[in-house]
Structures are given as structure tokens and as C-alpha cells.
Amino acid sequence: FPSHDKMFVLLCAFPYVRILPIDSVTQPYATVFAVILFFAFCASIPRVIFALAAPLGFCLLIALFFVFLSILDGITFGSFKWFASYFSAFFTFVIACYFISIDSKSVRQALLFSFGAWVLVGLIQRSFDPTFLTGLTSTRDADAASALLSTGRGVSGLAHEPTHHAFHVLLLAATMLLLSSKGRLLVLVGMFFSVFIVTGK
């Protein structure tokens, strides 16, 4: 079973994969796990990480204030949805920095696995089966997936649509390159192939 840091990275790296039938494009598991880890390791997190996260914390407080004001006019799902973005950013950033500070190699291994999975799934969808593993993220049937591919937009991969697939691969690649220069050429080739060939026309 993956360690805490690897499990956290995997949840962040596959944000569209549905474990439970939650009707949302982006799933909340990484955020929930980040909050749990935050309170579990709070005493061990270096102060410099909290200093780096201060702007996000300030934005979170402002968002909380406006959510409170919106609740006075009635609770809406939209209010909590945009608040979740600020909430997730703070806790995810703190825990990510903490794990990188104590074991960046383990974090990069989990990122490399995730990157490879995204590229491989995209390749299989493009070359053999456009519905391969789409059931993990949506209920898109074979006709819809084939139609999407025929428009030239590419495959959805492990996301809900091709744009999300391409941006996510870019983010994974950029994060790995920031953490280490090892395998830089391989990562760049995989990113280029996935974004411009698998996702493109």
C-alpha cells in the first residue's frame, strides 16, 4: 500500500477519477486527505512552509468572509464550490511542500508513475479504444468518445475532455522538472507526444 506521501500525490495526480459516485467533475479526495494530513503532521511542518503559504491563507480568510456573507442570503452550492478552490489550494500546497521537503525522491516517483499512466491511457485511447478507462471519470459511451476523437480535439484520457487531459499532463511534467533534472529529456518527449500528438489532430 502506498505511503502517505505517495498516496497524496496519486490523489492529486488523478483528480477526475471517481472512487465514490460523487456528481462533480473534480473529485474531493486529495483535498480531504490533505486536511487530514495537515492536522496529523502540523507540529512537524517547518515554519518556512507556513510563511510560503501565508498568501494562500490570507485568500482563504477573505473567501471565508464572503462565503459567510453569501450564506446570509441563502446557502448555494456555487458558494461552497468556489470556496473549495481556496480551501484546497492552502492545504494542498502546505502538505505538498512538506512531503517534498522530507522526501522529494518519493514524491517524484509517484509523479513519474502518474505521468506515465496519463500518457499511456491517452495513447491507448488514441490508437485502439477511445473509451479505454473513461468509465473511471464519466459515463461517456463509445459513440461519444469516437465522435470526440474524430473532431480532431483528441482524447479525454483520465480527464473529462481533451483540454483537461493536455493541461494536466503539462502540469505533471512541469512539476517533475522542477523537482529534478533527471530524465528531463524523457519527460519532455512524453509531454510533447501526449499534448501535441495524442491530444491533437
Side-chain angles (χ1 to χ4, degrees):
F1 196 77
S3 55
H4 289 132
D5 52 356
K6 290 184 178 179
M7 177 60 69
F8 171 73
V9 172
L10 291 175
L11 290 175
C12 290
F14 299 94
Y16 308 105
V17 174
R18 293 185 301 179
I19 301 174
L20 298 174
I22 297 176
D23 188 19
S24 175
V25 173
T26 305
Q27 299 297 297
Y29 309 114
T31 300
V32 173
F33 196 44
V35 173
I36 294 172
L37 293 172
F38 178 87
F39 288 104
F41 298 111
C42 187
S44 304
I45 298 174
R47 292 184 179 180
V48 65
I49 294 178
F50 286 111
L52 291 172
L56 290 174
F58 181 69
C59 290
L60 178 60
L61 290 176
I62 295 176
L64 184 61
F65 172 73
F66 282 108
V67 166
F68 176 75
L69 291 180
S70 67
I71 289 176
L72 296 179
D73 294 327
I75 299 176
T76 63
F77 177 73
S79 299
F80 287 103
K81 189 174 181 179
W82 67 259
F83 173 70
S85 301
Y86 294 95
F87 185 83
S88 176
F90 174 78
F91 288 99
T92 301
F93 178 82
V94 170
I95 295 303
C97 288
Y98 172 63
F99 283 143
I100 289 172
S101 70
I102 61 175
D103 191 358
S104 61
K105 182 179 179 181
S106 181
V107 170
R108 194 172 187 279
Q109 287 174 346
L111 283 171
L112 184 60
F113 169 83
S114 304
F115 179 75
W118 275 81
V119 173
L120 180 61
V121 170
L123 175 62
I124 293 174
Q125 289 181 359
R126 177 79 181 196
S127 305
F128 303 104
D129 180 8
T131 63
F132 180 69
L133 295 185
T134 54
L136 294 176
T137 59
S138 67
T139 57
R140 182 177 290 125
D141 58 28
D143 291 337
S146 297
L148 180 65
L149 185 59
S150 66
T151 62
R153 296 188 62 213
V155 300
S156 58
L158 291 168
H160 278 254
E161 57 101 24
T163 303
H164 288 178
H165 169 77
F167 275 121
H168 200 74
V169 170
L170 281 171
L171 287 173
L172 288 174
T175 304
M176 286 192 295
L177 293 175
L178 284 172
L179 289 179
S180 174
S181 60
K182 292 181 179 178
R184 180 184 295 270
L185 180 60
L186 183 62
V187 172
L188 289 174
V189 170
M191 179 189 68
F192 179 86
F193 179 81
S194 185
V195 172
F196 293 103
I197 297 179
V198 173
T199 307
K201 249 183 182 180

